[in-house]
Amino acid sequence: MTPQHGAQVQADGSTRFSLWAPNARNVTLVIAGRVMADRPEVVMTAEQDGWFTARVPEAIGCRYRFRIDHRLEVPDPASRWQPEGAAGPSCVIDPHSYSWQVSDWLGRPWHETVLYEVHPGVMGGYSGIQAQLSRLAEMGVTAIELMPLNEVPGQRNWGYDGVLPFAPQSSYGTPEQLRQLIDQAHALGLMVFVDVVYNHFGPEGNYLGEYAADFFRTDIVTPWGPAIDFRRQAVRSFFCENALMWLQDYRVDGLRLDAVHAISEQSFLVELASQVRSVLPPERHVHLVLENEHNNASLLAEGFDAQWNDDGHNTLHALLTGESESYYSDFATDTTHKLARCLQEGFVYQGEPNRHGVARGEPSGELPPTAFVLFLQNHDQVGNRALGERLIHLTEQPALKAATALLLLSPMIPLLFMGEEWGSEQPFQFFTDYHDELAQAVREGRRNEFSEFSAFADAVARNHIPDPNAAETFHASQPNWSDLELPKHREWADYYRRLLQLRHQHIIPHLVGSRSEAAHVLADKAVTASWTLGNQSRLRIDLNLSETSVTTPPFAKAAKVIFAYGEDVAGAANHLPPLSVVVRVEAEA
């Protein structure tokens, strides 16, 4: 597939510039740093269907903008590099100039995935993440998931306000440093995923509406503004090319597609998956993961590997914290039964009405457990809290440890959020770098989001919600790695390491072909669930998040306990002590 959008370096060393600008009468390519300084401006040729093109020799390293109708200069919407930030000029880079040290990397199969989500900014950029890779690989993590890399205005943003999706955020490092990070990860056996946002652009620095109004729909409005119009082929190719850029030019191993329920044309998702599968060599392990509030299970048979299981998180969060406001109200009743359904069938909502009376979800019981990414924390579930508290502040340690064992030893694909594995107590707060009227609007909008929560029902309480644009909000979200040396944090790290060792030993080798057997409620906040693994062994997890002992079903004499947590749990026969978990494997091949 030959890319259409942006500056493409050709085999002869020249660069072809392309811009889709159907509302423009003329477009001029304005170049700085040209070797041929006698032609700093090039009038682009108008092609069919709203395209403008130009071909320029010796453009690698040059900075450029597009001038629309002699009045507006804009960066390339498909810019591969913004060395001066989102407001600055774009820069032509050669995606093939980096010499990969790990040239034979083909990735890892999906069932081996243990995801670790990080925000590159608070981690100290690409170099800061690279410094943690060896520790994470030793712990048992197999994949780093980078929150969005798209260029955003300013020096800091939680990532989902991107305006230039092809350009890695300049404040994190250079494109070469990003490739070095990925190269080093591969050398350690770690996959790298990138979180991509194809459902909206941020509120500042996006000029597409000025010259390509057809990029957006006027009849559908999302929480972020007019919907992107995926009925247009140029729009579809823009995002398909973006996906392939990450997978080819940066050799990432997978993409997590943010909030695809906000994409009105679901056929685009099928097209994207089809292009990825057809363009990349079949021997490469490349993974596509969805975030989809609508629980469209049918998409998981259309080229996608898995979906984030928000239902699983919300159910466990309600059990652990007792929270029942806002979207947690959908999980506040029959919560234990909802957990059992999640463990047996994947989604809790499979067509049932939510709190708004709207049917949500599709049947998911036929999908394998590896089609679901399970987590106790992630950027949304921490960062979208008013104060950004982590789960360690919201529940008791024994309950959290029991739930963590379920997370890491169930056949679903586990995801950890940076710092979770060592019990980090620092918040992860929503942060941006806007100014003036937009900063005020974002500040007020953020605080008004929580008006339906009783703790922030009045304006005075909402004023205590951190200002997203304050530098200290960003700094408060940076993990304090020195805490790893403290005994209580080493204990947490050892706990995660032990569970991941067990996962690699007993679960991962047999995940292919695994299927759910059944899950039953033992009592309030207590369930038992079992799965048949690919080698026909049987995995059973008994979990008790209540304050009282519960009776458990009998188990086969051949069943082997591979993990137990809880007071006096070792002496338990057919009962499960409070706040405990027992994991057994029977007839392991």
Side-chain angles (χ1 to χ4, degrees):
M1 174 181 171
T2 302
Q4 291 179 284
H5 296 265
Q8 302 294 328
V9 177
Q10 307 297 299
D12 62 0
S14 66
T15 299
R16 183 179 187 271
F17 295 84
S18 299
L19 178 71
W20 188 59
N23 300 117
R25 295 184 300 276
N26 56 75
V27 179
T28 302
L29 174 66
V30 181
I31 304 180
R34 288 282 315 281
V35 174
M36 297 172 61
D38 57 317
R39 290 187 64 208
E41 298 185 1
V42 178
V43 176
M44 300 181 73
T45 302
E47 308 280 0
Q48 292 183 340
D49 302 320
W51 286 94
F52 290 82
T53 64
R55 193 168 180 133
V56 175
E58 302 176 14
I60 295 174
C62 292
R63 301 187 183 190
Y64 67 98
R65 299 178 191 263
F66 295 121
R67 183 182 297 144
I68 310 296
D69 294 338
H70 307 294
R71 62 176 179 83
L72 175 68
E73 289 194 5
V74 299
D76 185 348
S79 167
R80 267 55 172 184
W81 176 224
Q82 292 291 120
E84 299 174 40
S90 304
C91 182
V92 179
I93 63 171
D94 181 358
H96 306 297
S97 63
Y98 179 78
S99 297
W100 292 90
Q101 302 303 300
V102 182
S103 58
D104 57 350
W105 174 260
L106 297 176
R108 299 180 65 151
W110 173 246
H111 70 275
E112 295 182 0
T113 305
V114 176
L115 286 159
Y116 186 84
E117 186 187 28
V118 302
H119 185 283
V122 302
M123 291 281 286
Y126 306 133
S127 60
I129 299 171
Q130 195 166 338
Q132 298 296 325
L133 293 181
S134 295
R135 178 183 66 84
L136 294 171
E138 184 273 333
M139 176 173 287
V141 167
T142 64
I144 307 300
E145 181 172 320
L146 305 175
M147 288 173 63
L149 301 178
N150 41 211
E151 187 74 45
V152 297
Q155 295 298 301
R156 56 187 184 273
N157 188 286
W158 84 315
Y160 296 87
D161 296 326
V163 291
L164 298 170
F166 288 79
Q169 174 66 16
S170 53
S171 61
Y172 300 162
T174 66
E176 181 170 285
Q177 288 172 323
L178 174 57
R179 290 185 172 92
Q180 289 171 352
L181 164 63
I182 296 167
D183 211 2
Q184 179 61 25
H186 290 168
L188 293 167
L190 293 166
M191 295 181 283
V192 178
F193 287 64
V194 171
D195 194 344
V196 293
V197 183
Y198 294 161
N199 52 65
H200 76 285
F201 292 88
E204 179 183 294
N206 170 33
Y207 300 98
L208 283 164
E210 299 284 342
Y211 56 84
D214 290 346
F215 214 98
F216 304 96
R217 300 185 64 155
T218 58
D219 58 333
I220 298 178
V221 178
T222 74
W224 309 284
I228 294 172
D229 193 349
F230 284 95
R231 297 172 301 179
R232 311 284 182 180
Q233 187 54 47
V235 174
R236 287 181 176 236
S237 67
F238 182 85
F239 291 105
C240 286
E241 288 175 23
N242 180 263
L244 288 168
M245 180 201 73
W246 295 118
L247 295 165
Q248 293 178 303
D249 295 355
Y250 288 92
R251 301 192 182 186
V252 304
D253 303 279
L255 304 174
R256 181 260 190 190
L257 280 69
D258 178 69
V260 300
H261 51 269
I263 295 175
S264 56
E265 285 72 37
Q266 297 285 282
S267 62
F268 159 72
L269 298 171
V270 178
E271 178 182 330
L272 182 147
S274 176
Q275 284 204 22
V276 167
R277 302 303 180 194
S278 62
V279 169
L280 296 176
E283 61 269 20
R284 272 192 66 184
H285 295 287
V286 172
H287 311 301
L288 299 176
V289 181
L290 298 171
E291 180 198 21
N292 185 355
E293 174 65 21
H294 292 166
N295 282 0
N296 298 124
S298 54
L299 279 172
L300 296 174
E302 297 282 1
F304 293 92
D305 295 272
Q307 178 176 312
W308 274 28
N309 196 344
D310 284 323
D311 285 8
H313 166 273
N314 295 346
T315 304
L316 284 164
H317 187 94
L319 285 171
L320 289 168
T321 68
E323 293 183 4
S324 59
E325 296 181 300
S326 188
Y327 58 88
Y328 288 126
S329 64
D330 284 336
F331 301 86
T333 59
D334 298 322
T335 311
T336 310
H337 286 88
K338 288 182 169 70
L339 176 59
R341 190 180 203 196
C342 167
L343 295 176
Q344 181 171 331
E345 301 180 30
F347 296 141
V348 173
Y349 282 86
Q350 301 180 36
E352 294 78 11
N354 62 13
R355 67 192 184 281
H356 302 300
V358 177
R360 173 173 173 259
E362 297 174 349
S364 59
E366 296 302 313
L367 293 169
T370 52
F372 305 94
V373 175
L374 187 62
F375 42 85
L376 293 174
Q377 301 178 81
N378 64 30
H379 74 271
D380 268 331
Q381 304 301 341
V382 181
N384 274 334
R385 296 183 66 82
L387 304 178
E389 314 101 309
R390 292 174 178 266
L391 199 51
I392 198 167
H393 287 300
L394 305 173
T395 191
E396 297 298 322
Q397 178 173 304
L400 182 54
K401 283 195 169 182
T404 298
L406 172 68
L407 167 68
L408 296 183
L409 296 180
S410 89
M412 294 187 192
I413 300 299
L415 177 141
L416 307 177
F417 184 59
M418 57 180 184
E420 170 188 343
E421 80 284 4
W422 47 273
S424 175
E425 298 173 355
Q426 288 152 296
F428 180 72
Q429 297 171 341
F430 176 81
F431 50 85
T432 53
D433 190 14
Y434 296 126
H435 304 278
D436 303 323
E437 292 182 6
L438 179 56
Q440 182 64 21
V442 169
R443 183 184 304 114
E444 292 178 0
R446 172 69 175 170
R447 289 172 176 171
N448 289 334
E449 283 180 26
F450 298 97
S451 58
E452 62 180 297
F453 289 86
S454 57
F456 301 99
D458 64 85
V460 174
R462 291 197 294 275
N463 283 338
H464 292 289
I465 295 173
D467 178 0
N469 297 291
E472 54 264 30
T473 303
F474 169 76
H475 294 308
S477 301
Q478 294 178 288
N480 185 356
W481 299 111
S482 63
D483 283 351
L484 269 167
E485 302 303 318
L486 299 176
K488 66 177 180 179
H489 293 299
R490 287 203 302 268
E491 179 187 343
W492 273 106
D494 290 342
Y495 186 73
Y496 274 78
R497 184 180 294 105
R498 179 186 174 197
L499 288 170
L500 286 175
Q501 287 172 346
L502 292 171
R503 182 177 187 86
H504 283 280
Q505 180 181 353
H506 296 283
I507 312 298
I508 286 177
H510 313 303
L511 269 182
V512 174
S514 61
R515 63 186 186 278
S516 172
E517 287 187 6
H520 302 288
V521 173
L522 301 176
D524 186 38
K525 297 188 176 183
V527 297
T528 181
S530 57
W531 300 264
T532 298
L533 300 181
N535 65 342
Q536 302 307 303
S537 64
R538 184 170 180 260
L539 172 69
R540 173 173 149 181
I541 301 179
D542 296 340
L543 174 70
N544 182 10
L545 296 178
S546 76
E547 299 288 345
T548 59
S549 295
V550 298
T551 301
T552 60
F555 49 87
K557 292 181 179 179
K560 173 186 176 184
V561 175
I562 64 168
F563 182 78
Y565 172 81
E567 189 174 348
D568 298 326
V569 71
N574 289 328
H575 77 278
L576 201 58
L579 305 177
S580 64
V581 61
V582 177
V583 183
R584 297 178 176 88
V585 173
E586 177 188 345
E588 184 174 5

